[in-house]
Amino acid sequence: MGRQAIVFSKSLGEIAGALNSSLTVAEKLDCLVQVASRALGVRGCSLMLLDAKRKKLIHVATHGLSDRYVRAGVVEADKSLPEIMEGKTAAVTDTESDPRIQFGEMARREHIASILGVPVMCRGRIVGSLRAYNRIRREFTSAEEEYLITVANLAATVLESSGTLVSAEGSGSTEPKSAPHRRAVRSPVRAVSFAHPSEEDFARLLDFYQIEWVYEPRSFMLEWEGDKVTEMFTPDFYLPGLDLYIEMTTLKPGLTSQKNRKVRRLRELYPDTKIKLLARRDYDRLLAKYGHGPLAGAKTEGVGRILFSADQIQMRVRQLAKEISRDYEGRRILLVGVLRGMLCFMADLMRYLEVPADVDFMAISYYGSGDGGEAVHITKDLDVKPNGRDVVLVEDIVDTGMTLSFVLAHLEARHPATLAVCTLLDKKVRRLTDVPLAYVGFEVPDEFLVGYGLDYREEYRNLPFIALIRQQGRQGDIGG
Ligand code: IMP
Ligand code: MG
């Protein structure tokens, strides 16, 4: 056996040992890229996984690469060594001249001269890519390629057995349980050490809604003097599926104004970059909605100011029904409601409609609902088939948009002819994920509302009007 063959065989033994140990998934993957880098004698290796939309590749375990490189950006799967996404090996012998390199300047600075990349496949489906980065320009041998493919297979078994990958829909099934594009990779695999527990809680919430995230993905240059960068900004999260950065100001409220300034500057310099600040109050309210955090136990002292009277609501609902009847003239629609908040709205809306309408309902599990599930799922699905139908999803209120985006993906996967959303209330300022709203009754402020179907812990649903709740001297300062 040649020297290299011995090195490879030893290293595979080392990886097998790590895989068969009590290490965490993240630790196993870290070990794997580290051992592979050493065996190949390269500068570093990275295991990248496709995001939920299968568009972007995210580094989940790296060795030998600088933070700057890893955070330089999320790699576009169809631009960076695209043949890997077709299940082939990609070799770049000279990064300087190769058009398949997305961050050429960065590779140069990082002294990456050549790259070998192979697909990571689970049950015949490509879920990511394993790449080796070399300091010198050179061709890779077929033994090295074979070795990297073996390591990629080992990585795949770790991912598979950890449940990190949510399985793809079976090819034969005509009624997928949910949209396949949301089901590529779940996040907890990432070797993340959070700076603050609130960040971890937030990451868990995103996981629950199957919203892909990257922690501290990259740094933006904000100020510089000549060649020297004098100020950088690293947002806490990047949500690739939504192309949105999130900065949490929950840790030190004193830093909020500084962060506000940084975010303003970032928007100025990078106008195409979407970023949202999540303040302590937003965050506490977000958690409280699911029964967690400091505001979760807030006691109510009844109903406060009335925002919309019963008459105002009826007038607006009638107008919405008119708009829908006009837009769907001559068609038969399917109204879909997600239980239970929309019940008053649905009942009124359907009676004002002038087009024929079928009605059906879904129910979903909520974060922290204690049903043991770690991801949002449907507890009651539609009885009517939405395929080929003109579906109007009826919602009581859209807040962060996370519920709606999950439900929309589920419905879209079942191929309705058209799909539109009609919501009575839109709490726009709290939106995290952009969702298309075709019909909106009222735009509402960032307050917790009850009545006309909306509840606070199952109370106040049966009020005929919509009001704020009064709570321990303050109004509406509760999760919502
Ligand atoms: P999202 O996923 O954050 O958009 O939350 C939407 C769901 O949260 C709604 O369907 C409601 O059930 C609930 N919700 C949001 N805001 C309020 C509120 O102010 N009062 C009562 N329920 C609310
Ligand atoms: Mg609802």
Side-chain angles (χ1 to χ4, degrees):
M1 206 162 24
R3 204 192 67 86
Q4 193 181 46
I6 296 171
V7 170
F8 284 170
S9 128
K10 268 197 173 160
S11 89
L12 291 176
E14 217 177 311
I15 293 173
L19 265 46
N20 192 27
S21 71
S22 56
L23 293 175
T24 65
V25 176
E27 287 164 345
K28 285 177 184 173
L29 295 175
D30 275 352
C31 169
L32 182 137
V33 288
Q34 190 180 335
V35 173
S37 305
R38 248 193 291 125
L40 287 164
V42 292
R43 170 183 176 143
C45 278
S46 173
L47 174 68
M48 306 168 96
L49 292 182
L50 279 170
D51 74 331
K53 288 198 173 142
R54 302 182 65 78
K55 287 223 160 75
K56 300 190 171 160
L57 283 162
I58 301 161
H59 296 280
V60 296
T62 60
H63 174 75
L65 300 172
S66 74
D67 258 18
R68 193 179 54 184
Y69 188 79
V70 174
R71 289 177 187 173
V74 175
V75 174
E76 309 282 337
D78 58 350
K79 293 203 188 98
S80 164
L81 310 184
E83 55 272 56
I84 294 177
M85 289 303 112
E86 291 157 20
K88 297 182 203 137
T89 298
V92 177
T93 47
D94 183 1
T95 54
E96 293 256 356
S97 57
D98 203 300
R100 295 168 299 172
I101 300 302
Q102 218 192 341
F103 300 109
E105 173 54 34
M106 192 62 95
R108 232 181 333 276
R109 268 200 270 160
E110 198 79 357
H111 305 294
I112 293 171
S114 51
I115 304 176
L116 180 67
V118 299
V120 176
M121 318 249 277
C122 279
R123 299 194 209 173
R125 185 175 155 94
I126 297 162
V127 297
S129 159
L130 179 65
R131 300 180 182 192
Y133 303 87
N134 213 346
R135 276 191 199 85
I136 48 168
R137 266 191 293 272
R138 72 165 170 96
E139 309 231 337
F140 289 89
T141 65
S142 59
E144 286 173 321
E145 180 186 338
E146 262 171 50
Y147 170 79
L148 202 62
I149 290 172
T150 306
V151 177
N153 275 321
L154 291 172
T157 61
V158 178
L159 295 167
E160 182 79 50
S161 66
S162 69
T164 302
L165 302 167
V166 185
S167 60
E169 314 302 336
S171 47
S173 104
T174 48
E175 293 255 323
K177 284 208 187 68
S178 78
H181 71 266
R182 295 177 66 87
R183 297 224 149 212
V185 172
R186 236 190 268 156
S187 307
V189 60
R190 250 154 262 160
V192 171
S193 45
F194 291 100
H196 194 254
S198 64
E199 294 169 343
E200 190 168 354
D201 284 340
F202 184 63
R204 267 205 221 111
L205 184 64
L206 294 171
D207 278 343
F208 178 79
Y209 281 101
Q210 294 168 24
I211 294 173
E212 202 54 47
W213 54 268
V214 195
Y215 183 61
E216 298 191 331
R218 61 169 287 192
S219 300
F220 292 90
M221 288 184 258
L222 292 187
E223 305 289 343
W224 49 91
E225 284 160 16
D227 264 0
K228 212 173 109 223
V229 179
T230 53
E231 186 170 33
M232 300 273 280
F233 179 43
T234 308
D236 296 319
F237 286 92
Y238 176 61
L239 316 182
L242 314 170
D243 193 20
L244 174 72
Y245 289 88
I246 297 216
E247 175 65 8
M248 300 180 65
T249 60
T250 49
L251 185 52
K252 292 198 184 89
L255 291 177
T256 305
S257 63
Q258 196 189 332
K259 285 189 172 172
N260 273 318
R261 183 186 61 76
K262 285 191 172 189
V263 166
R264 268 201 308 276
R265 180 84 182 128
L266 187 141
R267 286 187 181 134
E268 245 169 65
L269 292 172
Y270 309 88
D272 294 336
T273 301
K274 283 195 289 172
I275 181 158
K276 203 171 161 85
L277 265 177
L278 204 64
R280 176 93 243 170
R281 183 170 180 266
D282 298 332
Y283 175 73
D284 285 346
R285 295 179 56 171
L286 191 59
L287 284 192
K289 176 166 153 180
Y290 305 102
H292 305 288
L295 296 177
K299 296 256 183 320
T300 64
E301 295 172 356
V303 169
R305 186 161 67 87
I306 293 179
L307 226 55
F308 305 107
S309 70
D311 285 347
Q312 279 174 310
I313 296 172
Q314 291 306 312
M315 244 162 63
R316 187 71 188 119
V317 175
R318 202 176 309 154
Q319 282 168 352
L320 289 175
K322 254 215 167 78
E323 282 178 42
I324 295 173
S325 305
R326 192 193 54 213
D327 294 349
Y328 290 87
E329 202 186 326
R331 283 136 84 184
R332 179 184 188 89
I333 60 176
L334 171 61
L335 298 173
V336 171
V338 181
L339 294 168
R340 286 175 278 212
M342 53 67 237
L343 66 97
C344 297
F345 180 41
M346 176 78 100
D348 286 337
L349 185 75
M350 59 192 270
R351 279 179 288 182
Y352 291 128
L353 283 175
E354 292 155 20
V355 288
D358 297 328
V359 201
D360 203 354
F361 301 95
M362 290 170 58
I364 60 170
S365 68
Y366 272 96
Y367 184 68
S369 55
D371 57 3
E374 54 183 23
V376 60
H377 62 266
I378 288 151
T379 55
K380 186 223 167 292
D381 207 346
L382 295 177
D383 296 319
V384 178
K385 279 198 170 65
N387 314 50
R389 300 292 307 267
D390 288 310
V391 175
V392 177
L393 183 66
V394 178
E395 266 285 21
D396 48 351
I397 182 164
V398 183
D399 184 13
T400 62
M402 292 196 285
T403 308
L404 186 57
S405 89
F406 172 81
V407 173
L408 283 177
H410 173 78
L411 289 173
E412 264 159 19
R414 300 173 68 176
H415 308 295
T418 61
L419 179 57
V421 179
C422 173
T423 183
L424 179 64
L425 307 174
D426 179 8
K427 217 186 263 182
K428 212 175 192 161
V429 291
R430 301 243 307 162
R431 197 64 37 80
L432 285 180
T433 89
D434 266 331
V435 276
L437 304 180
Y439 309 95
V440 175
F442 305 100
E443 205 175 297
V444 292
D446 187 5
E447 303 283 1
F448 197 82
L449 309 173
V450 291
Y452 195 64
L454 295 172
D455 72 306
Y456 175 64
R457 304 198 175 158
E458 295 306 321
E459 252 195 292
Y460 310 117
R461 273 197 210 281
N462 60 333
L463 300 175
F465 49 80
I466 293 173
L468 309 183
I469 52 172
R470 203 197 302 273
Q471 172 249 329
Q472 293 173 335
R474 284 180 296 177
Q475 276 203 341
D477 204 7
I478 256 177

